[in-house]
Amino acid sequence: MKHSIALVTGTTSGLGYAAARTLAGEGWNEIIVTGRSMDQVQKTVAQLAAETKAQVFTPLELDLDAPSSVQSALAEVVKRGRPVDFLLLNAGLIPGKKRVLTAAGVEAAQAPLIGHHQLTVGLLRANVLSPKARIVIAGSEAARGDVPLFSYTDVAALAVKHHQGNRSAAVEALMRSGPNVYYQPNRAYADAKLIVAWWAAALARRLPPDMAVYTVSPGSTPDTKGLRNAGPALKWLMVPLVKLIPGMSHTPETAAHRYLQASKFGTDVSGQFFASAPRKLTGPIEAMRQPHFHDRSNQEAAWQAIVSVSSADLSYPASMQQSLQ
């Protein structure tokens, strides 16, 4: 996909910045750089251009927590009338000790997925993704259940206990950090990344035949701003330990290469989650085989919950909707 157009979210620092710089080095024709503030995005564009000696960066203001900002960004991309070939949904964070909800009532770690869903659905509905577009969304090994200090919620059990067996309602409760949801920051993060993986699997079934989507963990990359809200145990104990042990962390540039590697995958693995090998946080990526990632009922429940929270869906005939269940 050389000489094509890429759009990267969360580009003003860390992984998104490294990804944009790497894309320029690989010869992409245009890289749309996004961030919450146009002033900051323009500074990022200038810095990237100076570092890469390439005039391929286009600024776009995009605050994923604000539906109006997502709609404005969509309108700008549509107005340009040039199809996006690579959509890199990178923005995200590890939540802090205190539960934080957005203005829309969504838990902070879950919120980027809502904005990413609105953006992706909007681009698809406006027909501004190229016919063979690739979509990559940031995941995390934390969703596997084998990373110390991180565990995920059993959605089926939560649904039975508090939602009359309705898994979609249970996923929505997690996204809104509802009254029956135990809030613990690392669990909230693991839940958010598990729902991301389910979302990608559900989206894959809804994409045109030649498009594809993948969840990709960037791996253990402590030198980013994603940890800015992390609790003390993670920030001051686990992260320094990880950085001291060889093979337990890598640079933002190495992490960004994982995203770009996935952008070249085929449609035969669309919807899958790629991360480090089990119990590892770095190294080559592989498709995750853990059963909880492949539970179709949870995937579709997650999709319906996200549609409910975001008020954005793709329209299909009733017959196709039934086959997705």
Side-chain angles (χ1 to χ4, degrees), residues 168-311:
S168 181
V171 174
E172 183 165 348
L174 287 176
M175 301 196 81
R176 296 189 180 281
S177 197
N180 295 314
V181 172
Y182 167 67
Y183 179 79
Q184 195 276 335
N186 292 0
R187 177 181 286 265
Y189 180 71
D191 286 341
K193 292 305 185 180
L194 177 53
I195 294 170
V196 160
W198 287 339
W199 173 83
L203 175 61
R205 291 190 282 273
R206 292 164 167 82
L207 288 176
D210 292 331
M211 286 189 196
V213 58
Y214 322 98
T215 303
V216 178
S217 171
S220 174
T221 319
D223 292 328
T224 70
K225 291 185 178 179
L227 291 161
R228 61 190 179 275
N229 298 314
L234 184 61
K235 188 182 288 185
W236 307 118
L237 177 62
M238 187 173 177
V239 168
L241 257 173
V242 160
K243 292 176 76 171
L244 285 173
I245 303 171
M248 288 292 285
S249 66
H250 54 209
T251 66
E253 289 71 25
T254 299
H257 273 288
R258 287 183 167 203
Y259 292 151
L260 274 62
Q261 178 185 348
S263 75
K264 301 175 179 69
F265 289 168
T267 56
D268 57 320
V269 292
S270 184
Q272 294 194 34
F273 172 33
F274 293 87
S276 310
R279 301 182 184 279
K280 293 188 179 294
L281 300 175
T282 60
I285 58 174
E286 60 185 60
M288 297 292 97
R289 304 300 181 193
Q290 293 86 344
H292 64 285
F293 290 121
H294 299 274
D295 187 317
R296 186 158 172 150
S297 294
N298 284 345
Q299 293 167 359
E300 289 302 318
W303 180 268
Q304 295 306 326
I306 293 160
V307 166
S308 174
V309 173
S310 67
S311 301

Side-chain angles (χ1 to χ4, degrees), residues 33-49:
V33 173
T34 73
R36 293 173 182 266
S37 155
M38 179 54 83
D39 180 61
Q40 184 59 51
V41 174
Q42 288 173 333
K43 289 178 182 176
T44 300
V45 163
Q47 187 173 343
L48 283 165

